[in-house]
Amino acid sequence: MKAVRWGIVGLGNIANKFASDLALVPDCSLEAVASSDPSRASDFAQKYQVKKSYARYTDLFQDPEVDLVYVASLHPLHAALAIEAIKNGKGVLCEKPMGMNAVQVNQIVKSATAAPVFLMEALWTRFNPAFAQVQQWIAEGKIGRLRYINATFSFNGLDRGEDSRLFNPKKGGGSLLDIGIYPLFLAYSLLGLPESVKASAVLTKQGVDEQLAFIFSYPKAQALLYSSFAHDEDMQARICGESGEIYMGSRWHETGDLKLVTKEGEFKHSIPITGKGYTYEILEANQCFRDHQNQSSKWTWQQSIDIATLMDTLRKEIKVVYPEDGE
Ligand SMILES: NC(=O)c1ccc[n+]([C@@H]2O[C@H](COP(=O)([O-])OP(=O)(O)OC[C@H]3O[C@@H](n4cnc5c(N)ncnc54)[C@H](OP(=O)(O)O)[C@@H]3O)[C@@H](O)[C@H]2O)c1
């Protein structure tokens, strides 16, 4: 089998985790990396034994030996970088959120449709085997009709300062786009588009959500969702039906630990996770690329548009606006 050749642009925190997981996935290689900082590019290349390092993203986009580009830069740069990669004929795995708003996500999707090339948002939790198990239990009717989801994502990032990507609006700061997207994803994936949403936020002086509680309402179900950069929390998720419950263990978005509780009793299930858990989205992208599928059936372009639209709706309610919203 021909190895899928990857390139990474934007060599920060997540690029490092991704590169170490990519090394665990068979039949693919990290062909090239690019950073705005030449020494970061060459250090990264040395650390992960990458053949080529570029100081300009454009050089990576034009490298004929790169098949798929992983866009790992800050949220506000995702759209421009993904579109440039696509225009150069590359398939793209784009970090979440795919764009700053639904307009940007639609622009990226339009570009991938026209090319046509592979495009997927790197919503890695979707590909976690524990999530597949949760879906299977629900489909098998183990917990009956789904009535309630409670999921949170929180950590104390207050010491990162107001110029960090967590808080600076020009860097896409705010908890919803960075981590609230995970609880939102869980409710949307299991219950679909809500009938209505409500949100309440603690905003910073710069006007982004440092702390956000939101409710998705469905005809016969509710999801209580939460994200915050203000405090640590154990981050479990509860998924409750009329005849049972599923608990996803601490740091539910990456866990392999599940508990199913029904009238028959309690069943604990632990699924081993390969690497940090980014291996599964890499496997999916590789498979789609090899099969000439431009989108994954597990996380489609429409699903990325839907969650971006939901985040736009929530932001309207809490009055969080980014420079990109006016474009
Ligand atoms: N899936 C996950 O688990 C996960 C986890 C963390 C983050 N993420 C996502 O990945 C993306 C990057 O997050 P990160 O934590 O890796 O960020 P980071 O380490 O702060 O920065 C990533 C890269 O962004 C580029 N960048 C461009 N303009 C910048 C600026 N003004 N200041 C700082 N960096 C700038 C830099 O690329 P150069 O190297 O080219 O200079 C930097 O290396 C975000 O969109 C985030 O949502 C995903």
Side-chain angles (χ1 to χ4, degrees), residues 153-157 160 166 178-179 228-233 235:
F153 199 131
S154 176
F155 65 89
N156 190 334
R160 306 252 189 118
L166 300 189
D178 196 39
I179 52 177
S228 165
F229 292 142
H231 58 87
D232 291 323
E233 202 231 334
M235 290 168 53

Side-chain angles (χ1 to χ4, degrees), residues 142-156:
K142 296 263 194 249
I143 62 168
R145 183 180 178 143
L146 200 51
R147 296 298 291 249
Y148 170 70
I149 291 176
N150 173 214
T152 60
F153 199 131
S154 176
F155 65 89
N156 190 334

Side-chain angles (χ1 to χ4, degrees), residues 9-15 17 34-37 40 57 70-78 95-97 122 124 160 165 171 177-178 182 253-254 278 281:
V9 295
L11 303 180
N13 162 48
I14 191 64
K17 293 181 179 164
S35 169
S36 63
D37 178 337
R40 186 152 56 241
Y57 295 165
Y70 172 52
V71 173
S73 189
L74 306 188
H75 324 334
L77 298 170
H78 290 175
E95 253 314 328
K96 39 56 61 177
W124 60 310
R160 306 252 189 118
R165 76 166 190 84
K171 294 180 183 169
L177 265 54
D178 196 39
Y182 290 100
H253 70 294
E254 60 184 18
Y278 300 102
E281 66 179 4

Side-chain angles (χ1 to χ4, degrees), residues 122-164:
L123 242 169
W124 60 310
T125 303
R126 171 63 188 86
F127 308 100
N128 181 332
F131 179 74
Q133 181 63 75
V134 168
Q135 281 185 311
Q136 193 185 322
W137 280 338
I138 294 171
E140 288 167 358
K142 296 263 194 249
I143 62 168
R145 183 180 178 143
L146 200 51
R147 296 298 291 249
Y148 170 70
I149 291 176
N150 173 214
T152 60
F153 199 131
S154 176
F155 65 89
N156 190 334
L158 294 172
D159 60 352
R160 306 252 189 118
E162 44 182 53
D163 189 40
S164 71

Side-chain angles (χ1 to χ4, degrees), residues 54-83:
Y54 296 115
R56 293 185 336 155
Y57 295 165
T58 304
D59 293 335
L60 187 146
F61 296 145
Q62 292 178 352
D63 183 336
E65 290 175 331
V66 169
D67 300 313
L68 295 180
V69 173
Y70 172 52
V71 173
S73 189
L74 306 188
H75 324 334
L77 298 170
H78 290 175
L81 294 176
I83 290 170

